[in-house]
Amino acid sequence: MHAKFSADELAFQSEVRSFMRDNYSVDLAARIHHPDTFRDAIVEWQKCLDNKGWAAHGWPVEHGGQPWTATEKYIYSTELAAAGAPDVVPMGIKMVAPVLYSYGSDEQKARFLPATKASDIWWCQGYSEPGAGSDLAALQTKAVRDGDDYLVTGTKIWTTYAQYADWIFCLVRTSNEGKPQQGISFLLIDMKSAGVTVSPIISIDDEHHLNEVSFDNVRVPMANRIGEENQGWTYAKALLTYERTALSGVPYCKRTLANIREMAAQNQNQSPPLLSSPDFQARLADVEMNVMALEFLELRVLSAIDSGGAPGMESSLLKLKGTEMQQAVQSLQWDVVASFGGVLPAEHGAQALWQSTANMARRSYMFGRASTIYGGSNEVQRNIIAKFALGL
């Protein structure tokens, strides 16, 4: 990663910036942020990215990805966040797709990869269970062979966007022999199958992101199993490294910090701006420096991937520090909003806009408390780091 962009990199930055300005409209943003229009709008946006060739830019080129360098990936994610545009919903393009193109059969690749890239399939993830969250190896959803099919019975929980999903990729227990990590298989299940029930979970931010998904003798063809039977833990670990790498949230943190700085510079009902406070300046600078350090860690991981590597223990570092920084940024944003007492300065002239900003800050803060739990709790990430980095 160079300290300064080359001419080609600056040209690429200009191309991405122009694309965001021309395609991510105010109307599209409003529809994406409204629960009634979210699914159709996000699919529209992802199809727009796919038409440009950018939706699955991280995939191998032979499957439709882009030969971008680490710097170009950094530029893209930064400009995406700067425009306020969402990244692709990760469960399909960023999570199950790497498992498919790494371990899937040729038939599975042909069936699922193009449709996933084009957002014609919406995926959700069936990992966590009521009794097996961070201890994922303790999962009990079982799949019993019946001819050329499996009969799947059990329950998955905290399943993001299952209410929209066409397919779910699941870890299921196909054997009880050996260690808990053994006897697990990786299945692709059509959400329209008989016996699949989706029950909503309303989270602390009053939104419907999460669900409980139950399987009652759901018939799944053996052809929908990825790789070998009882070897799903291997594929699951590979998927989790990509999931955790995607949780660092650096672009989000940088954009939110810029908004915080802008808000803190405003006069508060004739009082001095919060940004003039030495205590606030120190707190803001501390968070900004930590985000900068996280950014360079992410760039090192991207550079390693460019060289043919795969995210390993570093993905746990990114998840651990990234979610802590997201919470720090959300706390700072909420404190800035609270410092105004919910009252917009008269000279600002847009009370509704301020209330919307305050509401978004509240919801981000409340839902953000879960970020250190999902994707493998941060306690689990510390254990992974201790084992693989420190040899403990």
Side-chain angles (χ1 to χ4, degrees), residues 50 53-68 73 88-102 109 112-119 123 242 305:
D50 185 50
W54 291 352
H57 63 82
W59 291 13
V61 173
E62 61 267 27
H63 293 302
Q66 292 287 339
W68 289 352
K73 293 173 184 175
V88 294
V89 176
M91 281 74 76
I93 288 175
K94 291 191 173 184
M95 292 167 64
V96 73
V99 175
L100 279 164
Y101 61 65
S102 298
K109 293 174 187 177
F112 291 111
L113 285 178
T116 299
K117 187 171 74 71
S119 295
W123 291 91
Y242 287 98
I305 295 173

Side-chain angles (χ1 to χ4, degrees), residues 337-344 351 354-355 358:
V337 168
S339 71
F340 285 90
V343 178
L344 184 74
Q351 182 72 35
W354 178 257
Q355 290 176 344

Side-chain angles (χ1 to χ4, degrees), residues 122-195:
W122 188 300
W123 291 91
C124 62
Q125 179 187 31
Y127 272 28
S128 294
E129 298 183 2
S134 292
D135 183 16
L136 186 57
L139 66 89
Q140 294 300 312
T141 296
K142 64 180 180 179
V144 179
R145 284 200 186 196
D146 183 41
D148 292 332
D149 297 335
Y150 289 105
L151 292 179
V152 178
T153 301
T155 301
K156 299 294 181 178
I157 201 167
W158 315 124
T159 311
T160 303
Y161 296 145
Q163 72 269 35
Y164 303 131
D166 305 299
W167 285 78
I168 183 170
F169 54 96
C170 270
L171 292 182
V172 297
R173 186 160 298 284
T174 44
S175 174
N176 288 308
E177 298 180 2
K179 296 179 179 180
Q181 292 86 349
Q182 297 172 344
I184 292 173
S185 297
F186 195 109
L187 295 185
L188 311 178
I189 303 176
D190 189 336
M191 291 290 283
K192 296 184 294 296
S193 302

